[in-house]
């Protein structure tokens, strides 16, 4: 899990350099695919997963998650784009995503992206043995709502390991002290999807792309987490991040 997580994190670091106005999400997909297969000797988990046609998910602006990369979707100045990477290495999954600012973005977009990353970190900080899944969801919900944002409810974090998506469901809202009690050795993702407008979403006819119903902006950040004896380890931590242990 540590190796898979590190590869997924390194891939986000790699693709960061390519995010700029003029590149297509199809090109981002090709770069990540080649990197996964040729450089990392790993498998891109999304490709053919339940029929998903590409190796990464790219979700632009009002796309909540599971955006399908396309040569026709060209990033432009002021867009925000979530790139979601999942690699399989030696049978284990590493799942992580980040929302990038494309060129110069509005203050509103910058704020949504920042607060969503903070929501992820608040959720992670609630991870330690004896705490519950509800503690994670609650920490995220408090921070999102304090900032007048809403939380997508139809999609959530998930157990991951030898299987891409497994139990438990990790909700990004909830009540303290409710739900599954965390134990050392558990591995799961936390991946809040936070909307600038209302929480409601719609699935496009391609049966993958999830958009906000009101077409307002949405952001997402994701890490794969290991519960340790004392707190947590972020298996998909990147070099640009400073959060490393339970506060
Ligand atoms: N990586 C996504 C997640 O965080 C799942 C993508 S499934 C796909 O769970 F089929 F859309 F790729
Ligand atoms: Co995930
Ligand atoms: Co993911």
């Amino acid at each position: 899990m540590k190796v898979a997580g590190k590869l997924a994190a390194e891939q986000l670091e790699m693709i960061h350099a390519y995010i700029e106005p003029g590149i297509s999400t199809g090109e981002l997909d090709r770069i990540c695919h080649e990197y996964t297969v040729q450089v990392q000797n790993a498998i891109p988990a999304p490709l053919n997963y339940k029929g998903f046609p590409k190796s990464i998910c790219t979700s632009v602006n009002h796309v909540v998650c599971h955006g399908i990369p396309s040569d026709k979707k060209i990033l432009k100045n002021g867009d925000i784009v979530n790139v979601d990477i999942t690699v399989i290495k030696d049978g284990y999954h590493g799942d992580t995503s980040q929302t990038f600012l494309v060129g110069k973005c509005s203050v509103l977009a910058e704020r949504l992206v920042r607060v969503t990353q903070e929501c992820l970190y608040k959720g992670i900080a609630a991870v330690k043995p004896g705490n519950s899944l509800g503690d994670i969801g609650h920490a995220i919900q408090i921070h999102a709502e304090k900032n007048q944002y809403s939380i997508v409810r139809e999609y959530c974090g998930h157990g991951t390991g030898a299987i891409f998506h497994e139990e438990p469901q990790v909700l990004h809202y909830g009540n303290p002290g409710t739900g599954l009690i965390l134990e050392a050795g558990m591995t799961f993702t936390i991946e809040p999807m936070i909307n600038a407008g209302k929480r409601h979403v719609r699935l496009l006819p391609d049966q993958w792309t999830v958009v906000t119903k009101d077409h307002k902006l949405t952001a997402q950040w994701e890490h794969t987490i290991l519960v340790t004896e004392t707190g947590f380890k972020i298996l998909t931590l990147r070099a640009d991040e400073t959060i490393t242990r339970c506060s």
Side-chain angles (χ1 to χ4, degrees):
M1 290 291 292
K2 285 177 182 166
V3 174
K6 188 165 196 296
L7 293 182
E10 285 173 355
Q11 199 165 148
L12 272 185
E13 291 175 327
M14 180 281 297
I15 203 63
H16 196 160
Y18 292 91
I19 308 281
E20 57 176 14
I23 196 164
S24 71
T25 56
E27 186 64 22
L28 296 177
D29 175 69
R30 275 190 294 279
I31 294 165
C32 285
H33 180 92
E34 287 306 301
Y35 194 79
T36 308
V37 173
Q38 306 296 344
V39 179
Q40 298 186 322
N41 279 308
I43 299 165
L47 187 61
N48 300 321
Y49 177 76
K50 296 186 177 173
F52 191 79
K54 298 288 180 179
S55 295
I56 63 172
C57 297
T58 51
S59 303
V60 180
N61 293 340
H62 65 290
V63 178
V64 172
C65 61
H66 305 163
I68 303 172
S70 158
D71 291 341
K72 285 186 250 168
K73 185 65 191 173
I74 313 251
L75 297 180
K76 58 180 196 310
N77 189 48
D79 282 346
I80 62 172
V81 58
N82 176 277
V83 177
D84 194 333
I85 305 284
T86 312
V87 302
I88 307 172
K89 183 70 172 180
D90 301 329
Y92 288 91
H93 290 74
D95 187 6
T96 185
S97 85
Q98 171 175 4
T99 299
F100 296 99
L101 305 168
V102 182
K104 181 77 191 127
C105 289
S106 69
V107 172
L108 261 74
E110 282 186 13
R111 183 172 172 277
L112 175 68
V113 170
R114 173 178 55 79
V115 170
T116 304
Q117 186 181 25
E118 289 166 1
C119 282
L120 170 59
Y121 289 160
K122 299 268 184 193
I124 293 171
V127 174
K128 66 173 179 195
N131 275 10
S132 68
L133 285 178
D135 293 327
I136 298 173
H138 184 71
I140 293 167
Q141 181 173 7
I142 289 290
H143 193 62
E145 290 178 352
K146 197 168 76 186
N147 285 279
Q148 264 78 53
Y149 293 142
S150 66
I151 301 156
V152 172
R153 297 198 171 216
E154 288 81 354
Y155 301 88
C156 56
H158 49 90
T160 191
I163 297 170
F164 194 168
H165 296 107
E166 62 183 346
E167 293 301 309
Q169 294 194 33
V170 180
L171 303 183
H172 302 119
Y173 58 93
N175 295 314
T178 64
L180 186 74
I181 303 294
L182 305 181
E183 292 172 29
M186 290 177 170
T187 52
F188 52 80
T189 74
I190 305 176
E191 48 182 298
M193 286 143 273
I194 305 295
N195 296 351
K198 295 209 158 47
R199 70 171 179 85
H200 305 96
V201 301
R202 192 163 70 84
L203 184 64
L204 293 190
D206 66 21
Q207 295 300 310
W208 282 108
T209 311
V210 179
V211 299
T212 54
K213 236 180 200 165
D214 59 15
H215 278 212
K216 293 201 174 171
L217 277 188
T218 178
Q220 180 179 28
W221 292 73
E222 173 176 26
H223 271 313
T224 300
I225 308 295
L226 166 69
V227 184
T228 63
E229 297 293 341
T230 52
F232 60 82
K233 181 175 170 64
I234 302 176
L235 298 178
T236 46
L237 191 73
R238 299 179 303 281
D240 65 80
E241 297 177 289
T242 49
I243 177 175
T244 49
R245 60 193 187 84
C246 194
S247 47

